[in-house]
């Protein structure tokens, strides 16, 4: 019975991860943030087909999941940057494997 519970817990986690990375634009947003923090407008410039409304939704989802952190920089002018958390960086490294596969096979 204990084994069944841990298998269900693992299945739930795997399902949640596929649901997250399967959402349109999530992978590209994470890819964009891998090298350095970026402002909203910079992320949008990297992915011009992504509407600002959807980008805003995805950024909130990634923030809620602990993958992205929103940093308000109080210098003049005040600006907001987004960066990956440790959790987000590890996800980005995992997605790099898919990028390598795409480069080779697509």
């Amino acid at each position: 019975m204990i084994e069944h519970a841990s298998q269900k817990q693992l299945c739930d986690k795997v399902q949640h991860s596929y649901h997250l990375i399967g959402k349109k634009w999530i992978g590209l947003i994470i890819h964009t943030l891998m090298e350095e923090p970026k402002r909203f407008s910079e992320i949008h410039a990297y992915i011009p087909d992504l509407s600002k409304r959807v980008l805003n939704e995805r950024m909130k989802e990634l923030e809620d999941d602990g993958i992205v952190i929103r940093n308000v920089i109080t210098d003049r002018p005040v600006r907001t940057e987004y960066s990956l958390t440790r959790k987000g960086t590890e996800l980005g490294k995992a997605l790099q494997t898919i990028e390598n596969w795409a480069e080779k096979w697509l």
Side-chain angles (χ1 to χ4, degrees), residues 5-58:
S6 69
Q7 285 176 338
K8 173 158 180 17
Q9 191 175 32
L10 177 62
C11 185
D12 290 345
K13 288 179 179 183
V14 170
Q15 181 179 358
H16 180 77
S17 68
Y18 278 115
H19 177 73
L20 175 70
I21 62 174
K23 285 188 176 182
K24 192 168 185 176
W25 307 114
I26 292 285
L28 285 175
I29 292 168
I30 292 170
H31 173 82
T32 301
L33 292 171
M34 279 298 287
E35 289 186 25
E36 62 186 5
K38 293 191 176 50
R39 294 188 321 268
F40 185 92
S41 60
E42 292 174 311
I43 298 167
H44 187 259
Y46 274 90
I47 316 169
D49 290 339
L50 170 57
S51 74
K52 289 181 180 181
R53 181 186 63 79
V54 174
L55 176 56
N56 191 47
E57 287 174 14
R58 294 299 181 261

Side-chain angles (χ1 to χ4, degrees), residues 5 20 22 29 38 47 50 55 62 75 80 93 96 98-99:
L20 175 70
I29 292 168
K38 293 191 176 50
I47 316 169
L50 170 57
L55 176 56
L62 289 167
D75 295 345
T80 302
K93 289 176 184 175
Q96 181 65 49
I98 295 169
E99 293 175 25

